[in-house]
Amino acid sequence: NTGIGFETAKSLATKGYNVTIGCRDAQKAEAALARIRADVPWAAPLDAVALDLSDLASVRDCAKRVLDSGVQYDVWLNNAGVMACPKMATAQGFEYQLGVNHLGHFALTTAVLPGLQASEKPVRIVTVASAAHTFGKVNFEDLQRDKSYEPWEAYGQSKLANILFSYELARRLGPNSLITANCLHPGVVKTELGRYMIADGEKNWYMPLALEAFKFFMLEPEQGAATSIFCTTSPEMEGVTGKYYTDSRRATSSSDSYSRDAAQRLWAVSEELTAAKAAPVAAAV
């Protein structure tokens, strides 16, 4: 309902897509839909569904509502996220950034996957990651960062997890699947994602000043949404799967992100933590 998620929803509505947005706050969701309707009066149907990625009960409820609706989606966009927050925990006790940025999206996507497959038509699953994955390491010995917590390290881990998940999902679906899975870096964007950096000004007086100066080099939300829009709508993306994009172009992610062992291990751990049903493994060729 804000930032690049809002701008992506608005753009998809402009292109004639029926759009469902997932939001924690029902009032903010309705306000966002009202803004889109005002700006795009010819928009196709728009609606919202309650979704709090920090609570797996909410994630499961959202997935059930999606599946029960019978809507056949063409695009499934995992967009929400938190960045560099203090040490916090989700409703199930997971480290907050890993829980929201990765585990919530993992549980939701794998839960709705049978419905996406049942439509027997092309579906694009797109996950918004970040270039921050390049300094991320998935620490399987301290995944929840209980032994040592540093906000940016935890953020990098969660964004690397986004990419490992996207690549592994593409492999599990297989090259002949009608469903594709890709991920992207949206750029450095002026959104609410930096709210905890602003709050950090209480400890570091220079942080708010640095952020104000840095804004001159940041993208506006509509610019930051461009790669999401490209991955979800461009004819160039037809049949493309298991890739990473930035500036609406294919890019190379970090060497760690291509580790199949890490991706498979993360999938298994994520499945265990969320009790989600895994995607079917494609037959070997």
Side-chain angles (χ1 to χ4, degrees):
N1 60 300
T2 61
I4 64 174
F6 173 81
E7 295 298 337
T8 304
K10 179 179 173 181
S11 177
L12 292 172
T14 302
K15 294 176 182 294
Y17 283 81
N18 298 355
V19 178
T20 299
I21 60 174
C23 304
R24 289 178 298 174
D25 188 306
Q27 290 184 329
K28 290 182 178 180
E30 286 305 316
L33 295 180
R35 288 171 58 199
I36 295 175
R37 293 187 185 106
D39 291 343
V40 192
W42 65 89
L46 305 167
D47 67 348
V49 62
L51 173 62
D52 182 353
L53 288 164
S54 71
D55 186 349
L56 291 181
S58 174
V59 171
R60 294 189 183 102
D61 183 63
C62 177
K64 185 177 186 303
R65 289 173 182 269
V66 167
L67 293 171
D68 289 348
S69 73
V71 174
Q72 295 185 344
Y73 289 96
D74 302 284
V75 170
W76 188 267
L77 177 63
N78 294 318
N79 169 84
V82 291
M83 181 178 73
C85 62
K87 186 72 162 73
M88 298 161 56
T90 67
Q92 283 71 38
F94 305 133
E95 186 278 309
Y96 202 74
Q97 296 188 81
L98 182 73
V100 172
N101 296 351
H102 168 61
L103 293 174
H105 286 125
F106 175 90
L108 182 62
T109 306
T110 52
V112 301
L113 190 58
L116 301 181
Q117 292 171 311
S119 67
E120 297 185 345
K121 68 174 183 177
V123 180
R124 299 182 185 186
I125 298 175
V126 177
T127 299
V128 178
S130 169
H133 81 276
T134 57
F135 59 74
K137 298 288 183 182
V138 178
N139 184 350
F140 288 104
E141 306 309 314
D142 188 22
L143 197 62
Q144 307 302 335
R145 303 284 168 159
D146 292 324
K147 298 176 182 177
S148 174
Y149 182 79
E150 197 287 317
W152 286 105
E153 289 181 355
Y155 180 65
Q157 173 179 256
S158 72
K159 293 289 102 179
L160 177 57
N162 285 155
I163 297 179
L164 289 168
F165 164 62
S166 188
Y167 289 170
E168 181 64 13
L169 177 59
R171 284 191 288 266
R172 286 172 177 251
L173 290 168
N176 299 319
S177 174
L178 292 173
I179 301 178
T180 59
N182 294 291
C183 50
L184 63 97
H185 167 56
V188 181
V189 189
K190 297 177 187 176
T191 71
E192 294 181 3
L193 194 63
R195 65 177 69 92
Y196 293 107
M197 296 173 66
I198 295 173
D200 196 44
E202 297 177 3
K203 294 182 294 183
N204 300 309
W205 62 268
Y206 55 83
M207 186 61 73
L209 297 176
L211 284 173
E212 284 300 315
F214 193 50
K215 283 182 179 179
F216 289 102
F217 305 96
M218 298 170 76
L219 301 175
E220 295 296 333
E222 56 268 30
Q223 295 173 304
T227 304
S228 292
I229 295 165
F230 173 82
C231 289
T232 54
T233 67
S234 173
E236 295 179 39
M237 293 297 297
E238 184 176 349
V240 176
T241 192
K243 305 301 179 185
Y244 172 71
Y245 284 78
T246 185
D247 292 327
S248 300
R249 295 191 298 270
R250 189 179 299 182
T252 301
S253 54
S254 70
S255 58
D256 286 347
S257 71
Y258 293 108
S259 169
R260 293 196 177 195
D261 288 343
Q264 291 169 359
R265 185 176 180 185
L266 179 64
W267 186 286
V269 170
S270 301
E271 186 179 7
E272 180 181 354
L273 291 174
T274 64
K277 185 177 180 180
V281 179
V285 290

